[in-house]
Amino acid sequence: MTAQPDIVLICADDLGYGDLGIYGSPNIRTPHLDHLSRAGIKLTCAYAEPFCGPARAALMTGCYPARVAEPGNTKSLHPVLHRGEITLGEILRDAGYATAMIGKWDLAGHSNDAFAPELLPGEQGFDMHFGTPTSNDTLRYTVLLRDGAVIEHPVDMASLTRRYVNEALRILEGPDERPRFIYLAPNMPHVQLAASPPFQGASGRGLYGDVVEELDFHVGRLVRAISARRSGRDTVVWFTSDNGPWLRERADGGSAGPFRSGKASVWEGGMRVPGIVWSAQGRFPPRSLTGMTGLIDVLPTIARWAGAKVPGDRTIDGIDLGPYLAGAVPASPRGDYRFYLWTSLFAVRHGDWKLHLPRPADPPWLAPLRPSQHIAPEDAAALSQPALFDLARDPQERVDLAGRCPEVVASLLALAEQARSDTGDHDRTGAGVRFLDPGPKPDAPQRA
């Protein structure tokens, strides 16, 4: 891309791989996102993180969440992003963009009443913020903020998807001549769920389906408005989710489609999510791409489109996907991936091979993540030996090939050891983990 495009990054909350029609949902209608996918790029191997906060840290920093700095040199379950980290908002604002964060932030503390005001979007590179400090895990409402100030408490959660898109449309249609970057992070379909009256009971999938169909409708509103603009500036939309679906015994969780497990796990169903990239001016040849990508790759890719500089004074784990998405190269530049659950390295991938590392059932160092209602007991079971899967032939991760491929296991164990040395593990601090506050570097991750 030569001219700076407007960029809209949409990150749904807990939307599973199998929750859109284009990804195989049999009973949730998502015609607008389906059309966006057919008119642009459908990513079939897009990795997020196992749950909300780490995914948003990855998006904003281009780094594995285990690497990023937090205040007090701690490691929170949901990362509290240190002011010294450089966010995508800061990078684009420095490149001349008007920046807006609309929706759930979740990087200033996972609380609706005890978040850190100095770490909200307005202090992390965004000219404006309209949204919530975190999610609505146990309540059907949360507080609503505008530029750091509480403007509604409580807020009707069912109204937010519509109001968020209204805000995005106001910005896109406003008089500002600068290119615009909008980070749009709907609260849905995270439970507790809430749909507005026109969508209640409208789907064939209960309340969860109602919520996803409402999200699809409002994304459709946004894309139609973008398509109708007469500005000479292109607009790129990147749609994804922060993690796999919240699986529950009740019928209010999502679907991981063909993949194993869900949120709060590193099986494919917990971290493989929808990914759609579209340009209003047709910059991307419509097609489905099977190569590996990750949320950590969003920052360097968007920065390239914007003509912005990626920080050169620190490690960035993300890779620029621009040539791959544009069709200039046939294969994704991402060949490896590290699968962390909090600060615990659970698996590594190279090419089509994925190795799950030995671990006890419900590791005590993962409390309160374990035991988890999100995943089946078999998916939290102990692994006494490494388990190896060929994702090209076995994306469901059911056939352990470790005994038949010892040389592959050895290679991936070496890759895991490199990851531990760099970004750490539950019992060690990696040499590449950032600590930006005074004091000694801890020997192992210090949890808040």
Side-chain angles (χ1 to χ4, degrees):
M1 296 183 182
T2 53
Q4 290 178 307
D6 289 337
I7 299 168
V8 181
L9 172 62
I10 306 173
C11 183
D13 199 349
D14 289 4
L15 183 74
Y17 186 95
D19 288 333
L20 303 181
I22 195 71
Y23 285 88
S25 176
N27 48 18
I28 301 177
R29 298 165 298 184
T30 54
H32 305 290
L33 285 164
D34 295 354
H35 172 75
L36 197 71
S37 175
R38 294 188 185 100
I41 294 170
K42 174 188 175 185
L43 300 174
T44 64
C45 191
Y47 284 127
E49 295 298 324
F51 49 101
C52 311
R56 292 152 206 277
L59 275 177
M60 287 297 101
T61 66
C63 295
Y64 289 110
R67 186 184 302 283
V68 302
E70 299 187 42
N73 295 341
T74 62
K75 283 293 178 186
S76 303
L77 179 61
H78 293 273
V80 179
L81 199 63
H82 195 286
R83 189 64 189 86
E85 288 289 349
I86 299 175
T87 70
L88 181 56
E90 290 171 310
I91 291 170
L92 296 189
R93 189 172 63 182
D94 288 348
Y97 275 72
T99 57
M101 197 277 137
I102 302 171
K104 171 181 168 180
W105 178 238
D106 211 27
L107 292 173
H110 193 71
S111 170
N112 283 311
D113 54 14
F115 53 87
E118 70 276 12
L119 300 178
L120 288 171
E123 302 299 324
Q124 297 278 30
F126 291 92
D127 297 325
M128 69 81 66
H129 173 225
F130 176 73
T132 65
T134 184
S135 53
N136 56 314
D137 294 25
T138 58
L139 302 174
R140 294 191 182 278
Y141 60 84
T142 180
V143 299
L144 182 65
L145 308 176
R146 184 178 288 280
D147 297 331
V150 176
I151 60 172
E152 290 182 32
H153 184 202
V155 61
D156 176 13
M157 293 299 299
S159 72
L160 285 182
T161 302
R162 170 181 53 81
R163 295 170 70 185
Y164 287 165
V165 171
N166 287 349
E167 193 76 11
L169 289 171
R170 181 187 66 79
I171 293 169
L172 284 172
E173 296 167 356
D176 199 324
E177 293 302 316
R178 294 177 294 171
R180 296 161 172 85
F181 170 55
I182 298 175
Y183 171 32
L184 174 60
N187 294 73
M188 296 296 162
H190 192 296
V191 294
Q192 302 285 339
L193 299 169
S196 63
F199 296 91
Q200 293 172 6
S203 77
R205 180 60 170 74
L207 179 57
Y208 186 90
D210 298 346
V211 166
V212 176
E213 291 190 5
E214 181 168 16
L215 175 63
D216 175 76
F217 173 82
H218 289 295
V219 171
R221 287 177 55 216
L222 181 61
V223 172
R224 283 196 301 275
I226 290 171
S227 299
R229 295 171 76 199
R230 293 294 177 260
S231 168
R233 193 186 304 277
D234 194 7
T235 303
V236 175
V237 176
W238 193 324
F239 178 91
T240 190
S241 179
D242 59 352
N243 47 249
W246 186 314
L247 303 179
R248 300 168 66 105
E249 293 180 1
R250 304 197 311 268
D252 62 358
S255 168
F259 303 116
R260 180 174 177 178
S261 199
K263 178 178 179 175
S265 84
V266 300
W267 300 100
E268 290 293 286
M271 294 182 61
R272 202 184 289 211
V273 295
I276 301 171
V277 186
W278 171 86
S279 156
Q281 295 183 3
R283 301 289 187 118
F284 308 112
R287 65 210 190 281
S288 179
L289 293 178
T290 61
M292 198 186 332
T293 66
L295 294 189
I296 56 176
D297 301 321
V298 170
L299 180 146
T301 305
I302 286 180
R304 179 177 186 269
W305 293 338
K309 293 182 179 179
V310 174
D313 64 342
R314 62 197 63 204
T315 298
I316 301 294
D317 296 300
I319 300 171
D320 175 15
L321 301 174
Y324 178 54
L325 298 178
V329 298
S332 171
R334 174 154 298 286
D336 301 330
Y337 209 83
R338 303 172 184 179
F339 297 79
Y340 274 91
L341 193 58
W342 200 353
T343 57
S344 189
L345 183 68
F346 265 40
V348 291
R349 177 175 172 178
H350 177 73
D352 290 328
W353 293 107
K354 182 176 176 183
L355 187 75
H356 285 256
L357 303 172
R359 52 187 179 256
D362 292 329
W365 60 82
L366 283 179
L369 283 180
R370 290 292 186 268
S372 173
Q373 65 177 332
H374 302 314
I375 58 177
E378 67 170 344
D379 295 334
L383 290 178
S384 59
Q385 300 293 328
L388 179 69
F389 301 96
D390 179 357
L391 295 180
R393 295 177 174 86
D394 177 30
Q396 294 81 18
E397 297 172 284
R398 295 296 180 185
V399 182
D400 181 4
L401 299 175
R404 287 180 257 175
C405 304
E407 71 288 349
V408 177
V409 172
S411 175
L412 288 177
L413 285 174
L415 184 64
E417 188 58 31
Q418 292 174 17
R420 288 192 182 102
S421 297
D422 180 24
T423 43
D425 204 342
H426 70 95
D427 58 353
R428 74 164 79 171
T429 296
V433 177
R434 286 196 282 272
F435 296 99
L436 301 180
D437 284 341
K441 179 179 177 180
D443 294 330
Q446 302 296 302
R447 295 182 174 88

